[in-house]
Amino acid sequence: MALPFPAAAQQDRPLKLIVPFSAGGTADVLPRLLGEKLRTAYPGGVVIENKPGAGGNIGADFVFRSEPDGFTLLASPPGPVAINQNLYRKLSFEPARWVPVTVIATVPNVLAVSNKLPVQNVGELIAHLKANPGKVSVASQGNGSTSHLTAAMFMQLTGTEMNHIPYKGTAPALVDLLGGNVDVFFDNLSSSAPHQHAGKLRILAVADDQRSRVLPQVPTFVEQKLPGMQAVTFFSVVAPPGTPPALAATIQKQLAQALTAPDVRQKFLEQGAEPRGWTPEDSGAFIQRETQKWAKVIKTANVTLD
């Protein structure tokens, strides 16, 4: 029988949430907000540890090989959980063997365009692309990133072609979009929204099934007759293989409870993140659907990384 979460925590061992990306981004901020609320359940404390590199694979490998005792968990966006197994020729861990704990939040991707591009909605963009095949540039956070794959999905669904320009992260891609050096960027809502509010770029659509509370005036792709265009960045917590389901369920309850705190919810929304806290079963089903969806996009676009 698995030790219940509070009893295990009485060992005064710290909970380690491994973030497989650098400090400062949304993937790092959200677990830190939750960590503050979990300290009463863990007398030994809660440690948020960044282990970046190789698209999240280095941190993921560390957690994958950790003891399945509930004290070392991976807090990660989709890459090491649902995407990298289809991008990389070989991984040192098996994403299919993660034990889902919960999806803590989702952030929709958005279609952002330069103010120089003469389009005001998705229909106009599609028409412009078809009239100018390969002449419109689309930025991404890098080859194989969610922005790259979202752009690939859009082109596949609409039968259009854009010139892909990969950058090293969101910041340089946004700089060039704001400067009019690139035309289109399928960005995370949280980083583009402030520039939309300031009038420095135009967000034409939200890639979710409903409008964002952060940008309630911006319609979804569904509303603009492109229902298959749904792309969200999710932030999940998963455990090493062999973690007892009862232990994963107990940890999920602790995380879900932390997400109910008004200050946490408000800070998540300020990041453009919709708080979730789904059960392990629902989280696992969601991750499986995401894995299948992106596998199809990756295969069709023939995207590979070494």
Side-chain angles (χ1 to χ4, degrees), residues 145-160:
S145 64
T146 54
S147 58
H148 178 198
L149 299 180
T150 304
M153 175 192 287
F154 178 82
M155 287 186 279
Q156 290 167 19
L157 287 172
T158 59
T160 56

Side-chain angles (χ1 to χ4, degrees), residues 220-257:
T220 65
F221 280 99
V222 176
E223 293 176 86
Q224 299 183 71
K225 301 180 181 179
L226 201 60
M229 190 63 204
Q230 295 195 29
V232 300
T233 297
F234 65 86
F235 298 89
S236 61
V237 174
V238 296
T243 300
L247 180 57
T250 307
I251 299 171
Q252 179 270 330
K253 289 182 175 65
Q254 295 288 337
L255 290 167
Q257 179 64 33

Side-chain angles (χ1 to χ4, degrees), residues 102-149:
T102 190
V103 171
I104 61 173
T106 57
V107 180
N109 288 343
V110 296
L111 167 55
V113 301
S114 164
N115 283 336
K116 294 182 179 180
L117 200 66
V119 299
Q120 299 297 325
N121 54 53
V122 172
E124 290 183 7
L125 175 62
I126 294 171
H128 183 72
L129 293 176
K130 289 188 174 180
N132 300 275
K135 295 181 180 179
V136 173
S137 57
V138 58
S140 80
Q141 301 146 344
N143 285 318
S145 64
T146 54
S147 58
H148 178 198
L149 299 180

Side-chain angles (χ1 to χ4, degrees), residues 50-190:
N50 301 91
K51 288 185 177 293
N57 293 338
I58 291 175
D61 179 73
F62 176 83
V63 176
F64 191 84
R65 300 179 187 282
S66 298
E67 289 296 319
D69 54 15
F71 288 101
T72 304
L73 306 172
L74 182 71
S76 178
V81 180
I83 293 177
N84 289 358
Q85 61 266 49
N86 294 301
L87 275 178
Y88 290 83
R89 299 183 190 279
K90 187 177 180 180
L91 292 178
S92 58
F93 61 97
E94 301 172 58
R97 294 179 60 200
W98 290 121
V99 176
V101 175
T102 190
V103 171
I104 61 173
T106 57
V107 180
N109 288 343
V110 296
L111 167 55
V113 301
S114 164
N115 283 336
K116 294 182 179 180
L117 200 66
V119 299
Q120 299 297 325
N121 54 53
V122 172
E124 290 183 7
L125 175 62
I126 294 171
H128 183 72
L129 293 176
K130 289 188 174 180
N132 300 275
K135 295 181 180 179
V136 173
S137 57
V138 58
S140 80
Q141 301 146 344
N143 285 318
S145 64
T146 54
S147 58
H148 178 198
L149 299 180
T150 304
M153 175 192 287
F154 178 82
M155 287 186 279
Q156 290 167 19
L157 287 172
T158 59
T160 56
E161 179 186 350
M162 288 185 280
N163 178 29
H164 174 222
I165 301 178
Y167 288 81
K168 293 183 178 180
T170 297
L174 266 178
V175 167
D176 269 7
L177 183 73
L178 295 172
N181 298 316
V182 289
D183 304 307
V184 178
F185 184 27
F186 288 88
D187 190 21
N188 225 279
L189 176 145
S190 54

